[in-house]
């Protein structure tokens, strides 16, 4: 019986090796602030106005406080463990609902994408929860599970999951996808979660959310950075997954109306990206559930041979496209990456 798990385990090890070689890894720059929030729990003391943004993403500190991960090493290890465990559960769920080959294909899509780069380059960030919970809403067959995942995701980054789910609802409406109710459940759960979080924080005088950054620096500050980042952002937007997105749109989506809906859903997240400092991260986190939904929507139209060809193309392109993410308009490389061994790394 153990033999049935060998192909999946071997594929997982290869994908992990590829991910580390392509993305490297590093620590989230805001880890110190998240540890400060963790150490103050269970009390909630307002931080400086700009730092209060982090208090609107308390899922990591709450989990770390619960498990006693109150040092930098244990906090980062906890989040690395969450990423591994979450990806493993998602792979198992996809294999069970679709097939092992589809699970491996989705794994390839992830490691070749910028979502993997963001998750590994900033280990310790709340992004891991946003990515995993957004993925749960896409792959689950239960509206209750989708609502629960959306609720918890609101304690990571509400704005990002709300945009993702709203765009998925819109696409599902256009293409008459029965998963629309699941996406609606995820969105409703996220809204309720944000209301609960807002009430709790306001009671403790924490009132400055992400809008504070826009008020503090002004719109022009962010638009200038976005203009500098735009060319490289468009080139690297999906990493090697550019191959997957194009192939799925061409081979898996049969009408121009549906293609247009998916394309618009992938373009619109550039708007919120334009008013942030971490351009790659925001665009990637918002679009990952949409990319995943596109993949699981189109895989029934693809043969295993086509999935292998597309997957290989994505892995190759993922190694060709520079493994950088854009932060404050400038390209950034993970702390521990093979490129740092090169003279220009």
């Amino acid at each position: 019986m153990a033999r049935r798990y060998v192909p999946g385990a071997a594929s997982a090890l290869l994908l992990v090796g590829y991910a580390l070689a392509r993305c490297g890894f590093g620590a989230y720059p805001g880890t110190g602030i998240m540890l400060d929030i963790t150490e103050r729990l269970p009390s909630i003391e307002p931080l400086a106005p700009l730092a209060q943004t982090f208090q609107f993403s308390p899922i990591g500190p709450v989990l770390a406080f619960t498990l006693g991960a109150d040092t930098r090493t244990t906090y980062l290890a906890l989040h690395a463990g969450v990423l591994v465990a979450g990806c493993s559960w998602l792979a198992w769920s996809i294999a069970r609902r679709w097939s092992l080959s589809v699970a491996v294909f989705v794994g390839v899509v992830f490691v070749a994408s910028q979502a993997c780069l963001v998750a590994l380059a900033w280990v310790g960030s709340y992004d891991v929860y946003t990515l995993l919970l957004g993925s749960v809403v896409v792959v689950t067959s239960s509206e209750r599970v989708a609502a629960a995942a959306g609720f918890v995701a609101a304690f990571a980054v509400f704005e990002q999951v709300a945009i993702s789910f709203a765009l998925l609802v819109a696409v599902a409406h256009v293409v008459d996808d029965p998963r629309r109710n699941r996406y609606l459940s995820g969105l409703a759960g996220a809204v309720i979660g944000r209301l609960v979080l807002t009430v709790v924080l306001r009671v403790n005088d924490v009132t400055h959310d992400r809008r504070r950054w826009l008020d503090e620096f002004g719109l022009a500050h962010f638009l200038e950075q976005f203009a500098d980042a735009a060319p490289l952002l468009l080139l690297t937007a999906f990493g090697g997954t550019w191959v997957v997105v194009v192939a799925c749109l061409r081979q898996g989506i049969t009408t121009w109306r549906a293609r247009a809906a998916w394309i618009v859903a992938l373009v619109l997240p550039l708007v919120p990206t334009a008013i942030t400092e971490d351009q790659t991260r925001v665009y990637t986190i918002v679009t990952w559930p949409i990319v995943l939904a596109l993949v699981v929507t189109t895989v029934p139209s693809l043969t295993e041979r086509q999935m292998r060809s597309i997957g290989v193309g994505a892995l190759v392109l993922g190694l060709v496209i520079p493994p950088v993410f854009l932060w404050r308009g400038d390209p950034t490389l993970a702390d521990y990456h093979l490129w740092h061994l090169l003279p220009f790394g």
Side-chain angles (χ1 to χ4, degrees), residues 202-215:
R202 283 187 179 276
V203 168
N204 290 276
D205 298 321
V206 178
T207 58
H208 298 295
D209 59 14
R210 287 170 173 80
R211 289 172 296 180
R212 175 71 185 189
W213 285 76
L214 192 59
D215 295 337

Side-chain angles (χ1 to χ4, degrees), residues 135-148:
S135 300
V136 170
V137 172
V138 172
V139 305
T140 185
S141 58
S142 167
E143 292 180 17
R144 290 183 179 180
V145 171

Side-chain angles (χ1 to χ4, degrees), residues 23-345:
C23 303
F25 63 96
Y28 176 47
T31 300
I33 298 177
M34 305 310 283
L35 281 171
D36 187 23
I37 296 172
T38 303
E39 291 168 0
R40 294 166 185 255
L41 291 174
S43 66
I44 303 174
E45 303 173 18
L47 302 178
L50 286 179
Q52 287 182 24
T53 295
F54 297 92
Q55 294 182 281
F56 279 84
S57 301
I59 186 170
V62 169
L63 184 59
F65 172 77
T66 303
L67 298 177
D70 54 1
T71 67
R72 178 181 173 85
T73 300
T74 56
Y75 190 87
L76 295 177
L78 168 64
H79 284 74
V82 168
L83 178 62
V84 172
C87 287
S88 299
W89 183 87
L90 283 168
W92 175 81
S93 299
I94 293 170
R96 186 178 180 184
R97 185 175 176 190
W98 284 278
S99 68
L100 177 59
S101 59
V102 172
V104 172
F105 183 59
V106 171
V108 168
V109 174
F110 178 69
V111 299
S113 74
Q114 298 298 79
C116 184
L117 175 62
V118 168
L120 289 180
W122 276 8
V123 174
S125 169
Y126 33 76
D127 292 332
V128 63
Y129 306 104
T130 317
L131 285 170
L132 293 174
L133 292 166
S135 300
V136 170
V137 172
V138 172
V139 305
T140 185
S141 58
S142 167
E143 292 180 17
R144 290 183 179 180
V145 171
F151 179 86
V152 179
F155 293 80
V157 183
F158 165 75
E159 295 84 355
Q160 292 173 356
V161 295
I163 294 170
S164 299
F165 299 159
L167 289 172
L168 283 172
V169 170
V171 171
H173 177 75
V174 171
V175 304
D176 196 24
D177 187 338
R179 281 172 291 198
R180 176 175 55 187
N181 290 338
R182 228 167 303 145
Y183 301 147
L184 276 171
S185 297
L187 180 58
V191 171
I192 294 171
R194 177 53 185 258
L195 289 174
V196 171
L197 176 62
T198 300
V199 169
V200 171
L201 292 178
R202 283 187 179 276
V203 168
N204 290 276
D205 298 321
V206 178
T207 58
H208 298 295
D209 59 14
R210 287 170 173 80
R211 289 172 296 180
R212 175 71 185 189
W213 285 76
L214 192 59
D215 295 337
E216 181 78 14
F217 295 101
L219 183 62
H221 168 80
F222 298 99
L223 293 180
E224 288 174 5
Q225 291 186 353
F226 179 74
D228 293 337
L232 188 55
L233 177 64
L234 294 176
L235 171 65
T236 61
F238 300 112
T241 307
W242 267 115
V243 173
V244 179
V245 171
V246 172
C248 287
L249 288 172
R250 289 189 59 187
Q251 300 178 30
I253 305 299
T254 57
T255 68
W256 282 106
R257 175 184 172 87
R259 286 194 189 105
W262 284 108
I263 291 171
V264 169
L266 291 170
V267 170
L268 283 179
L270 288 171
V271 176
T273 300
I275 55 174
T276 60
E277 288 194 324
D278 36 0
Q279 293 86 13
T280 294
R281 175 188 156 269
V282 171
Y283 182 77
T284 294
I285 299 298
V286 173
T287 56
W288 169 252
I290 302 170
V291 171
L292 179 59
L294 174 63
V295 170
V296 298
T297 297
T298 56
V299 285
S301 304
L302 303 175
T303 65
E304 289 201 13
R305 182 176 180 180
Q306 287 175 318
M307 282 192 288
R308 283 196 297 270
S309 299
I310 295 169
V312 169
L315 293 174
V316 171
L317 184 60
L319 295 176
V320 173
I321 290 180
V324 296
F325 58 97
L326 289 148
W327 185 27
R328 296 175 177 173
D330 296 321
T332 305
L333 192 62
D335 292 337
Y336 300 99
H337 194 284
L338 293 174
W339 275 30
H340 286 299
L341 299 177
L342 302 176
F344 53 88

